[in-house]
Amino acid sequence: MDKLKAKLIELFQSGEITLAIGYKQGTRGPRPFFCRSASDVEQMIFSNDYQPNLAVYLTKKEVVKDEKVAIVCTISALRSIAYLARENQIGQSQYKIIHLSPNDELMIFRSPWDIDPYIEEIPSTPSEDDRRVIEMLDAMTSEERWAWWAAQFSKCIKCYACRAACPMCYCTRCIVDNNRPQWIDPWASPLSNMEWQINRVMHLAGRCVGCGACGAACPEGIPVHLLNRKILDNIEENFGITAGLAPREGAVLNTFKPDDKENFIK
Amino acid sequence: MDTLYIKKSDIPSWWNAIKAAHDHVVAPVRKDKVVEFARVESYEQVATDYIQTTRSAKEVLFPRTERLFSYKKNGRDIEVQDFDPESVPSQVLWHVRPCDAASLFPLDAVFNWDYKDVMYNTRRERTAIVATSCATADEYCFCTSVGGGAGDTRGSDILLTYTADGAIAEVMTEKGKSLVALSQNLFTEYTAGDKDKYVADVPRVFDVEKLKEKMHGMFDSQVWKEQSERCLGCGACAYVCPTCSCFDIQENPKGSCGERLRCWDSCGFAQFTLHTSGHNPRSTQASRWRQRLMHKFSYIPQRQDSLGCTGCGRCSRACPVDMNIKEHLSSIDKIQ
Amino acid sequence: MCNCKDKNIYLPYMMQVEKVTVEAPGVKTLRLKFKNEEDEKSFSFRAGQFAEYSAIGDGECTFCIASPSTRKGYVECTFRQAGRVTSSLSKLEEGDTMGFRGPFGNYFPMEEWKGKNLLFIAGGIALPPMRSVIWTALDEREKYGDVTIVYGAKTVADLVYKNELKEWEDREDVTLITTVDPGGETPEWKGKVGFVPTVVGESPINAENTIAIVCGPPVMIKFTFPVLEKLGFAKENIYTTLENRMKCGVGKCGRCNVGKMYVCKDGPVFTAVDLAELPDDF
Amino acid sequence: MEKKEFEPKIIAFVCNWCTYAGADLTGTSRMKYASNVRVVRFPCTGRIDFMLLLKAFAEGADGIIVSGCHPNDCHYTAGNFHARRRWMVLRGLMDFLGIDIRRIRFSWVSAGEGAKWAQLVNEHVETVRELGPYENYKKAAEYLKEGMYNG
């Protein structure tokens, strides 16, 4: 941590950055911190399991425009940056990407592409709790799962915090913001709440890094990130692409192999 | 106003009498990690182990999604089916917090501002409110800073304050009296006058009168950008807020039939004010955050003699990036 | 003004489309008649007020009432096809049914303008809100002094109400100045070429005892106000009408809120004095 | 009176170049098959957005058929390969949400496989007939019973 702070102070003092996006202590947990001077660096805190995923700010022009930005990344944020770069959403050396590895090693990536070899070593895995819930759901009958999710979605108020917290949900006009056609009813309702989640995770299929920021953001505690996780599992099983590793082959749904194997097209 | 007392052991039978006399009782219920208002069938379902529900009680009067009217097309003709006030059930809102009861003032004001909103008013008329004082509060609560309090009776038909073995019932309105009348024999006079010792102490963090005055001239301040920098632009704060009443009107066509609906909306969304031409009067998150606070603390007070905040702290608890409104307001208060 | 107490304020009157006029590419005028006679009898409005027009099945859209308040029995709206609702409205044919809620908002204080000269300045699709005022004034022509209309559009094709422009041009008691943006003229074009604020500045306009009513895109308003002030207009004699996004029209949905003002209740008609006091949020 | 057998409503989303032509062949060969299917023609299976499937259920379908060209036969080279990946991912997700995926039948039917189309439809109609009407989905669509929805 001290190394991280020292590095940020150095970057501020040398004028290499004007803004460091990191975390500081919030009301109960960490909160995003927009640090603007060497003297404020002291407030910075860090852990690799912090939420939200700070990479979400990198595509917000309003925030990063006219700034020289350093971003303090969790492993999840690193993965997101690698994907964002691959989708041409951030430039080659636009940001100083700073990371503190789980064994407290300070890492600075000169370009998003340099992240690849590092995250290649670390698959994205769900938490124990999440794994348990997924197993519980898998063991249920289809009817039971429907009832379980219906109860969850009944809490949904369509605040779109799941979308807002996701670094990969950067579209300037989301499918739910269009009314011609209006695919998904914009008001809260059992079907549209589910349709919205299906759309969200399908549009993230093969792009999601499994950070869980969507579920963490939900004010109603709906574990929407489990849907993403299920897709990650599904992709690994079907296409052999491990969750959260560098996106070498292009997004899963933008690519194909002639010998993709399924067992249900008859 | 009558101050009465009911023994703890008698509350369930009073509750049952209330339940029997109304179509629904709506009360806080635990659902996994959160506690929410929902229709309950038995007294045991009512949750007790919580500080605050995630959503406010406003949805009882101003539902998430609501039909304004429905229609049927017959050739080139259209037949409309108006909202039917008779379809609105009678209900008791049980165990809302004083901060939720207080939210009725800004809601009443906006829904009756010159034009009367018949859906809201019908629901309001058919809903009786039994609030409960807060015995505990958390660091997000700031009701006392915005003119309320953990034992505030404003907006309640009855306010219950739980003692060790019963509850003090402050009966504020005729509606409240008729609820008591359902089990009149269970109530006795209460004269101890010691309600305050059962009510949480919520420290006051700013003077709202000074704050209102100050914010009046702060439209061009830098503070909005500074505070909103981490805002992600979701609608969580507005949707959990007991006073946020902005809404959207939407169409739900199904072939030749359909309905027009009203649903919650939030000034935090970029689309809220976007014109078809592409012009957006509030194109930045900073301007939208400013609108949220100015509307609550400057515009509503100026126009409707009310305040758009009851200090419940829900927005702060719901925010994915910990935008703590109490902290933000205090820091505005401290600006010289 | 409110005559809908305890009625469902979101329930539209049912209207029959009586006439459809194509004004310009993508711009149409609909003339609407009340289907229910009772509704028609109880209905009245003042020039400048707006309404919510609904294409049942697609939603509502806000436009000013484009017909004059002096002509009873119908209302007209003119709109450009742009989004979902206006596209649906523009598909309506004579005899079809649509919804109408209104009138809402404030109006031009035409009573106060008696004996004064009127200068109308409009750009593009913003002539419709002003047309109601123009015809109301012309229908009671004797009440007012000189009437001058300056109207500009991007191109000659984009000018709306072409027949009425001709009528105004032919009238002895109206001065009409039309202009199109540079490049928008045709070989036959006899009007001026140039942007509205410039044309206003170059025209022989006397600010004395004159009320200026300006309506157009935000950028036109922004550049026209200083020109008028230079010509000697006091801020309180310059009127405009704002078009913010609205849903309810009755001060509840929160969209049109600008500072402490609600465009749907405190507007849409504002003077330059009012606008100067509003925060820059519209 | 004898109780009428349940007649499921089936929506078929098919590719123009193979399955639609195949279904045409079924007809011109005068092969008889169940009449429960409403066919929606698409230029390619790659164009069949997953939302269309959801909307079919929401509008009251009890079953769905999705069919197009066999692998390597796509008129646009690879549309069906893309579609296959999409369905592989979507199917797992739908199952995880408790959507009854037995009601969705995916198939490849070429322009020459008239008989296969008839068999496919008949089989799927029988499958869905046994499953009964898709009540769960229909119930979820009726949420405004009291003129409001609060979850």
Side-chain angles (χ1 to χ4, degrees):
Chain A
M1 193 64 218
D2 290 342
K3 283 179 280 185
L4 173 73
K5 286 181 183 169
K7 183 69 197 176
L8 287 173
I9 290 171
E10 179 196 318
L11 288 169
F12 272 117
Q13 283 168 346
S14 66
E16 279 179 86
I17 60 169
T18 55
L19 168 66
I21 304 176
Y23 298 96
K24 73 171 179 181
Q25 186 55 44
T27 316
R28 281 181 189 171
R31 71 161 63 138
F33 175 37
F34 287 73
C35 177
R36 284 221 151 68
S37 69
S39 57
D40 288 337
V41 168
E42 195 42 51
Q43 298 174 51
M44 193 123 6
I45 57 172
F46 183 80
S47 160
N48 270 301
D49 52 22
Y50 281 174
Q51 293 283 14
N53 184 334
L54 297 178
V56 72
Y57 293 110
L58 298 184
T59 51
K60 292 193 188 300
K61 286 205 183 65
E62 192 184 333
V63 174
V64 295
K65 202 179 70 187
D66 305 328
E67 302 269 11
K68 290 186 266 181
V69 180
I71 176 162
V72 181
C73 294
T74 59
I75 294 169
S76 291
L78 289 177
R79 295 191 215 277
S80 300
I81 290 173
Y83 274 72
L84 285 171
R86 213 64 65 127
E87 295 184 3
N88 298 316
Q89 296 304 312
I90 52 179
Q92 175 67 252
S93 50
Q94 197 178 353
Y95 302 114
K96 291 252 175 315
I97 302 159
I98 301 176
H99 171 63
L100 210 53
S101 75
N103 49 18
D104 216 26
E105 188 189 340
L106 181 70
M107 302 175 77
I108 295 167
F109 300 94
R110 288 194 357 267
S111 124
W113 309 95
D114 296 346
I115 294 170
D116 289 0
Y118 176 63
I119 57 173
E120 268 305 328
E121 305 295 316
I122 320 167
S124 153
T125 49
S127 72
E128 277 305 306
D129 283 352
D130 287 350
R131 185 47 77 202
R132 261 198 301 279
V133 180
I134 291 177
E135 279 166 10
M136 174 194 80
L137 283 165
D138 282 342
M140 284 181 179
T141 65
S142 173
E143 290 264 329
E144 288 167 340
R145 275 199 295 277
W146 174 270
W148 192 87
W149 281 109
Q152 292 293 341
F153 291 146
S154 75
K155 294 185 283 181
C156 175
I157 45 180
K158 284 269 176 82
C159 68
Y160 298 124
C162 44
R163 174 182 74 179
C166 177
M168 301 310 288
C169 274
Y170 53 72
C171 290
T172 46
R173 196 148 185 156
C174 174
I175 184 165
V176 288
D177 297 335
N178 283 308
N179 65 3
R180 285 192 296 172
Q182 189 140 352
W183 268 125
I184 301 164
D185 295 337
W187 55 89
S189 78
L191 285 186
S192 70
N193 293 353
M194 180 182 75
E195 285 171 354
W196 155 242
Q197 287 302 333
I198 293 178
N199 267 271
R200 190 182 65 81
V201 296
M202 281 301 284
H203 290 176
L204 288 167
R207 306 169 58 236
C208 169
V209 301
C211 70
C214 46
C218 181
E220 294 286 344
I222 307 172
V224 292
H225 61 291
L226 297 184
L227 300 171
N228 297 72
R229 177 52 64 181
K230 189 69 189 175
I231 286 196
L232 289 172
D233 289 353
N234 189 329
I235 287 172
E236 176 148 22
E237 198 179 313
N238 281 309
F239 313 115
I241 298 167
T242 306
L245 302 192
R248 294 198 189 281
E249 296 172 54
V252 172
L253 293 191
N254 293 354
T255 53
F256 67 89
K257 283 190 180 140
D259 53 355
D260 283 334
K261 283 277 174 292
E262 38 61 39
N263 57 7
F264 59 90
I265 307 182
K266 291 172 193 149
Chain B
M1 185 198 85
D2 297 329
T3 304
L4 306 175
Y5 181 79
I6 182 168
K7 281 193 291 189
K8 201 164 243 174
S9 53
D10 286 338
I11 293 176
S13 58
W14 179 44
W15 194 90
N16 287 333
I18 290 176
K19 173 81 180 73
H22 294 83
D23 293 327
H24 303 290
V25 173
V26 177
V29 177
R30 180 159 286 285
K31 293 182 178 176
D32 295 335
K33 292 175 208 154
V34 295
V35 175
E36 297 295 12
F37 286 100
R39 288 178 181 172
V40 289
E41 295 305 320
S42 74
Y43 182 70
E44 291 71 44
Q45 281 175 276
V46 179
T48 50
D49 57 332
Y50 68 101
I51 297 286
Q52 191 61 278
T53 54
T54 304
R55 289 194 306 276
S56 77
K58 79 173 169 196
E59 65 186 22
V60 170
L61 305 175
F62 170 45
R64 268 185 258 179
T65 308
E66 166 176 38
R67 186 189 292 135
L68 298 174
F69 64 86
S70 51
Y71 64 83
K72 199 174 162 190
K73 293 185 179 176
N74 300 316
R76 306 178 89 181
D77 209 14
I78 296 169
E79 204 182 300
V80 290
Q81 181 89 47
D82 199 355
F83 163 76
D84 176 17
E86 296 307 312
S87 68
V88 174
S90 67
Q91 51 194 356
V92 171
L93 196 44
W94 177 264
H95 273 192
V96 300
R97 299 287 188 211
C99 48
D100 268 6
S103 76
L104 293 174
F105 291 94
L107 289 178
D108 282 351
V110 70
F111 284 115
N112 286 286
W113 194 25
D114 294 353
Y115 293 89
K116 305 212 178 301
D117 189 300
V118 65
M119 288 91 182
Y120 174 85
N121 286 339
T122 311
R123 292 184 206 289
R124 173 86 162 90
E125 206 176 276
R126 300 206 181 164
T127 305
I129 292 165
V130 182
T132 173
S133 300
C134 304
T136 48
D138 68 9
E139 71 272 37
Y140 294 106
C141 294
F142 63 104
C143 51
T144 47
S145 305
V146 288
D152 190 24
T153 55
R154 285 181 319 151
S156 308
D157 294 308
I158 297 178
L159 176 71
L160 298 176
T161 303
Y162 285 87
T163 63
D165 47 10
I168 306 164
E170 291 171 272
V171 186
M172 307 302 298
T173 64
E174 288 304 317
K175 263 190 206 170
K177 275 186 191 157
S178 47
L179 290 180
V180 168
L182 293 169
S183 304
Q184 194 75 54
N185 57 331
L186 301 179
F187 289 87
T188 53
E189 286 290 314
Y190 190 77
T191 50
D194 60 350
K195 171 185 149 191
D196 285 354
K197 75 179 190 201
Y198 303 106
V199 171
D201 179 33
V202 181
R204 224 174 95 162
V205 286
F206 55 81
D207 178 342
V208 74
E209 290 307 318
K210 273 197 214 146
L211 186 77
K212 281 191 317 202
E213 210 159 296
K214 182 185 260 177
M215 281 174 72
H216 190 51
M218 279 183 60
F219 190 86
D220 294 317
S221 167
Q222 271 302 304
V223 76
W224 311 118
K225 186 172 186 308
E226 288 162 21
Q227 292 189 346
S228 68
E229 218 156 24
R230 66 178 182 273
C231 176
L232 295 171
C234 76
C237 48
Y239 289 178
V240 298
C241 174
T243 70
C244 270
S245 59
C246 288
F247 58 81
D248 193 4
I249 296 180
Q250 286 284 347
E251 210 87 346
N252 188 22
K254 291 252 184 268
S256 62
C257 301
E259 52 208 356
R260 189 164 287 166
L261 305 173
R262 130 159 100 196
C263 55
W264 293 353
D265 207 342
S266 164
C267 62
F269 289 134
Q271 294 247 322
F272 188 67
T273 50
L274 180 66
H275 294 199
T276 315
S277 65
H279 171 66
N280 193 347
R282 290 196 278 276
S283 58
T284 60
Q285 206 56 42
S287 63
R288 298 190 279 272
W289 169 248
R290 171 177 63 200
Q291 173 67 15
R292 177 168 170 75
L293 288 200
M294 291 292 268
H295 192 228
K296 290 187 173 308
F297 291 91
S298 178
Y299 309 155
I300 293 181
Q302 285 182 72
R303 296 310 296 274
Q304 290 157 7
D305 195 25
S306 180
L307 191 69
C309 177
T310 65
C312 69
R314 281 193 179 86
C315 52
S316 313
R317 292 185 197 95
C319 183
V321 289
D322 194 31
M323 298 269 282
N324 187 322
I325 193 172
K326 174 176 149 190
E327 191 183 307
H328 281 322
L329 291 170
S330 311
S331 74
I332 291 171
D333 184 52
K334 289 190 187 84
I335 294 174
Q336 290 308 313
Chain C
M1 204 163 63
C2 166
N3 56 2
C4 36
K5 238 184 187 179
D6 297 328
K7 274 194 214 159
N8 181 353
I9 46 178
Y10 307 104
L11 187 73
Y13 297 121
M14 284 297 116
M15 310 292 276
Q16 188 155 40
V17 178
E18 202 181 31
K19 194 171 139 207
V20 181
T21 315
V22 178
E23 304 287 358
V27 180
K28 279 186 178 177
T29 296
L30 300 181
R31 176 176 290 191
L32 313 174
K33 253 185 97 71
F34 289 86
K35 293 191 87 158
N36 180 338
E37 264 180 48
E38 296 298 307
D39 293 344
E40 183 180 332
K41 272 186 208 149
S42 61
F43 180 82
S44 69
F45 75 98
R46 310 278 290 268
Q49 288 192 289
F50 70 93
E52 295 290 335
Y53 300 80
S54 41
I56 304 286
D58 278 299
E60 279 186 321
C61 228
T62 315
F63 321 115
C64 278
I65 301 177
S67 54
S69 56
T70 43
R71 299 182 196 176
K72 307 287 178 199
Y74 67 88
V75 287
E76 285 180 329
C77 63
T78 302
F79 57 92
R80 186 195 297 279
Q81 182 188 336
R84 175 173 161 190
V85 182
T86 47
S87 296
S88 180
L89 285 176
S90 70
K91 283 188 201 128
L92 293 178
E93 294 172 2
E94 284 158 25
D96 284 344
T97 308
M98 62 177 275
F100 173 86
R101 286 196 295 132
F104 298 130
N106 68 353
Y107 43 83
F108 290 103
M110 295 186 71
E111 293 299 307
E112 296 168 20
W113 297 350
K114 272 182 198 160
K116 297 195 173 174
N117 305 319
L118 302 180
L119 167 64
F120 297 96
I121 303 167
I125 189 67
L127 185 58
M130 203 165 287
R131 174 187 180 235
S132 174
V133 198
I134 295 175
W135 277 118
T136 304
L138 294 182
D139 284 351
E140 298 171 326
R141 184 66 187 86
E142 67 288 353
K143 286 188 184 167
Y144 309 96
D146 296 344
V147 172
T148 310
I149 303 167
V150 181
Y151 175 47
K154 265 202 188 101
T155 69
V156 176
D158 288 321
L159 293 164
V160 299
Y161 303 138
K162 293 196 175 64
N163 292 336
E164 285 158 74
L165 291 175
K166 180 85 183 59
E167 207 178 314
W168 296 335
E169 193 174 10
D170 292 345
R171 280 177 77 137
E172 296 275 313
D173 57 357
V174 176
T175 311
L176 176 73
I177 301 167
T178 46
T179 178
V180 294
D181 292 355
E185 69 271 25
T186 56
E188 300 82 38
W189 177 243
K190 293 202 182 65
K192 293 187 180 293
V193 175
F195 296 105
V196 171
T198 325
V199 171
V200 171
E202 290 164 354
S203 299
I205 286 165
N206 184 0
E208 211 186 303
N209 196 33
T210 304
I211 300 288
I213 304 112
V214 189
C215 193
V219 57
M220 189 200 101
I221 294 185
K222 193 178 147 199
F223 285 105
T224 306
F225 276 18
V227 173
L228 288 173
E229 284 177 47
K230 214 169 149 193
L231 286 169
F233 282 87
K235 272 198 165 103
E236 58 268 26
N237 289 333
I238 306 175
Y239 286 81
T240 187
T241 152
L242 286 186
E243 299 225 328
N244 263 32
R245 189 166 181 204
M246 293 176 195
K247 287 276 181 174
C248 73
V250 288
K252 317 223 179 294
C253 80
R255 267 176 187 63
C256 67
N257 178 221
V258 181
K260 65 173 183 173
M261 299 297 207
Y262 279 72
V263 174
C264 69
K265 283 177 60 63
D266 306 300
V269 175
F270 291 96
T271 63
V273 180
D274 301 330
L275 286 195
E277 282 171 11
L278 278 185
D280 185 21
D281 213 14
F282 56 90
Chain D
M1 214 174 82
E2 203 185 326
K3 207 180 152 200
K4 248 189 163 177
E5 201 174 16
F6 163 62
E7 287 300 340
K9 269 188 217 148
I10 311 271
I11 304 295
F13 297 102
V14 303
C15 139
N16 172 52
W17 302 98
C18 292
T19 307
Y20 192 80
D24 235 9
L25 181 63
T26 321
T28 50
S29 323
R30 299 179 175 253
M31 276 183 259
K32 280 202 172 154
Y33 67 104
S35 57
N36 305 50
V37 171
R38 279 81 163 162
V39 176
V40 188
R41 176 160 64 150
F42 283 83
C44 177
T45 43
R47 169 63 183 81
I48 303 171
D49 193 284
F50 58 89
M51 272 306 284
L52 293 164
L53 276 58
L54 299 177
K55 286 292 167 195
F57 280 140
E59 297 295 321
D62 301 298
I64 293 170
I65 293 172
V66 185
S67 176
C69 307
H70 287 271
N72 293 316
D73 283 355
C74 179
H75 187 78
Y76 309 99
T77 316
N80 54 356
F81 287 134
H82 283 287
R84 179 167 68 185
R85 276 213 164 179
R86 186 186 309 148
W87 297 338
M88 288 167 77
V89 173
L90 176 68
R91 207 166 161 274
L93 176 67
M94 284 178 134
D95 190 33
F96 188 58
L97 282 163
I99 296 174
D100 190 351
I101 52 172
R102 293 171 300 177
R103 293 175 183 274
I104 311 173
R105 173 76 183 264
F106 296 93
S107 186
W108 308 128
V109 174
S110 78
E113 294 176 316
K116 185 177 178 186
W117 173 252
Q119 191 196 350
L120 169 71
V121 169
N122 285 337
E123 275 179 20
H124 199 51
V125 167
E126 276 322 302
T127 308
V128 178
R129 200 196 301 280
E130 264 172 49
L131 292 171
Y134 199 178
E135 291 295 349
N136 272 350
Y137 230 93
K138 290 187 184 26
K139 265 186 235 154
E142 291 170 18
Y143 54 89
L144 272 178
K145 273 192 184 141
E146 278 175 31
M148 52 168 265
Y149 174 76
N150 268 333

